[in-house]
Amino acid sequence: MAISNIRYGEGVTKEIGMDLQNLGARRVCLMTDKNLSRLPPVNAVLNSLAKYGINFQMYDNVHVEPTDQSFLDAIQFAKKGEFDAYVAVGGGSVIDTCKAANLYAASPSSEFLDYVNAPIGKGKPVTVPLKPLIAVPTTSGTGSETTGVAIFDFKELKVKTGIASRAIKPTLGIIDPLHTLSMPERIVANSGFDVLCHALESYTALPYNERSPCPSNPISRPAYQGSNPVSDVWALHALRIVAKYLKRAIRNPEDHEARANMHLASAFAGIGFGNAGVHLCHGMSYPISGLVKTYKPKDYNVDHSLVPHGLSVVLTSPAVFAFTAQIHPERHLEAAEILGADIRTARIKDAGLILADTLRKFLFDLNVDDGLAAIGYSKADIPALVKGTLPQERVTKLSPRPQTEEDLSALFEASMKLY
């Protein structure tokens, strides 16, 4: 079980300068994106760095939904700077970019594809020591502050992939609920859907003791190990918080209690899926994001087409859980109950349909786009979407139910329209 250290509480960001002092940091790399660089979370960090006399350089060119090229730009900056510590202030895009910059700066002779997940990259184990990285999440979604995973769009193949290694997880995650107050409504919603799917997928993933073959050396054991007794605790707790607080957090930006709880749920789900892994919703989401045509989401200040990660994940969730529920239906039923379904007279064989209907109602109540068709896809795109899912073996192999290309086609088709 691998997780980052976590510090939680309103205003804890002001301690970051002391943390860096305690680490003996002399040259710090501060990473963020252009939008955030003008907002209160980055200001809070800058004030603390100034107060404790921390010498730093700022990189604010992080790309929202990073690409291989945007990772390489950040890596170049990190190599030049010869930093001895890193601070990432932002959502998953910023934290993931910073993890990659730290890794390749620590391993300057490595090729980019050396550490990228197989089969797209070589998936080599990380054996070099990395510098300390402090992550300050500003969204309530990815849980990236607790995990050893960094995701990016591989432009040439039009597919999302990533780097997964316990070695790249942050040293410390500073979870300050004040930072969630500057999030617009749709960003709260989409990042919340990521938490929802992290919890559901890790709880229903193939159990850790049913995976084979066992790696010949523990260093080769994947970060994503399958559902397990420790991750289950975190996934279920995160799911309960989502059920109680997500709608409130979206509908009322002044609801500090709801936003603070969602910020914590993001980390809880991160601890769960960072060790158990995710499966089909995430595996299928990568081509949904990677093949985007013209869709531009509300509340995102970007100059390029973009399907936000949490939206790309949640749109297939009703179809996916209807498909996986024949394996461990009791877990699917338990999840449906947590999300508000009345299961007193439910039959176990209906678990998948019940969870799918519960998710549809949840999404309908929150004005989510009506399926893949509403974000620009049609049946003609299904072969390309399936092709983009096939290389995602790191996650698709964690599905409790194996799937053929025909199964994937049917799942994409069933996700074209939700309501």
Side-chain angles (χ1 to χ4, degrees), residues 307-343:
V307 181
H309 173 64
L311 182 63
S312 70
V313 170
V314 85
L315 288 176
T316 60
S317 63
V320 162
F321 294 110
F323 172 79
T324 56
Q326 58 175 250
I327 318 286
H328 306 301
E330 64 293 338
R331 287 194 169 220
H332 290 69
L333 211 49
E334 186 182 359
E337 184 177 35
I338 290 170
L339 291 170
D342 180 354
I343 61 164

Side-chain angles (χ1 to χ4, degrees), residues 85-398:
Y86 292 81
V87 174
V89 188
S93 298
V94 173
I95 299 172
D96 286 6
T97 301
C98 199
K99 290 174 187 173
N102 187 10
L103 170 61
Y104 289 95
S107 183
S109 58
S110 295
E111 300 280 320
F112 182 63
L113 286 176
D114 282 355
Y115 296 121
V116 173
N117 299 323
I120 289 169
K122 294 179 187 163
K124 286 185 177 174
V126 177
T127 54
V128 293
L130 270 63
K131 300 291 191 254
L133 190 168
I134 300 177
V136 186
T138 58
T139 61
S140 306
T142 63
S144 187
E145 67 278 6
T146 70
T147 72
V149 181
I151 301 292
F152 66 93
D153 264 322
F154 197 46
K155 281 302 209 195
E156 187 189 335
L157 297 178
K158 289 198 165 173
V159 73
K160 262 190 161 53
T161 180
I163 301 159
S165 166
R166 292 177 186 83
I168 67 170
K169 70 182 190 317
T171 318
L172 172 65
I174 290 187
I175 302 174
D176 184 340
L178 292 177
H179 298 334
T180 66
L181 302 178
S182 48
M183 270 199 295
E185 181 212 16
R186 277 298 106 183
I187 293 182
V188 179
N190 291 326
S191 51
F193 298 147
D194 201 19
V195 181
L196 170 67
C197 289
H198 285 158
L200 286 171
E201 288 172 72
S202 59
Y203 190 57
T204 57
L206 185 72
Y208 76 103
N209 55 356
E210 290 178 22
R211 303 194 70 200
S212 63
C214 179
S216 56
N217 185 314
I219 198 169
S220 306
R221 186 164 280 139
Y224 288 178
Q225 306 169 82
S227 60
N228 62 76
V230 186
S231 286
D232 287 351
V233 174
W234 295 94
L236 282 180
H237 193 57
L239 197 57
R240 291 192 175 98
I241 298 175
V242 168
K244 184 171 180 185
Y245 290 110
L246 178 57
K247 288 182 184 177
R248 280 174 49 186
I250 293 168
R251 287 173 177 157
N252 180 7
E254 301 303 311
D255 190 335
H256 289 209
E257 182 193 8
R259 290 211 166 181
N261 273 287
M262 282 305 300
H263 208 35
L264 212 42
S266 174
F268 289 171
I271 296 166
F273 94 85
N275 291 277
V278 285
H279 55 83
L280 288 178
C281 295
H282 271 76
M284 293 167 68
S285 80
Y286 297 140
I288 293 170
S289 296
L291 297 168
V292 60
K293 299 172 184 178
T294 56
Y295 185 77
K296 285 202 176 143
K298 181 172 170 269
D299 290 345
Y300 286 73
N301 186 6
V302 286
D303 57 6
H304 50 282
S305 302
L306 165 76
V307 181
H309 173 64
L311 182 63
S312 70
V313 170
V314 85
L315 288 176
T316 60
S317 63
V320 162
F321 294 110
F323 172 79
T324 56
Q326 58 175 250
I327 318 286
H328 306 301
E330 64 293 338
R331 287 194 169 220
H332 290 69
L333 211 49
E334 186 182 359
E337 184 177 35
I338 290 170
L339 291 170
D342 180 354
I343 61 164
R344 283 173 301 188
T345 57
R347 295 178 305 182
I348 200 81
K349 69 177 179 38
D350 295 331
L353 295 173
I354 292 168
L355 179 52
D357 283 345
T358 307
L359 286 166
R360 273 192 204 94
K361 182 177 182 314
F362 197 78
L363 298 179
F364 183 78
D365 285 352
L366 292 169
N367 306 321
V368 174
D369 302 79
D370 186 6
L372 298 179
I375 62 167
Y377 289 105
S378 70
K379 282 187 182 170
D381 298 307
I382 290 176
L385 290 165
V386 171
K387 190 176 165 216
T389 306
L390 295 175
Q392 309 298 337
E393 293 175 2
R394 182 181 62 94
V395 294
T396 54
K397 281 201 156 76
L398 284 165

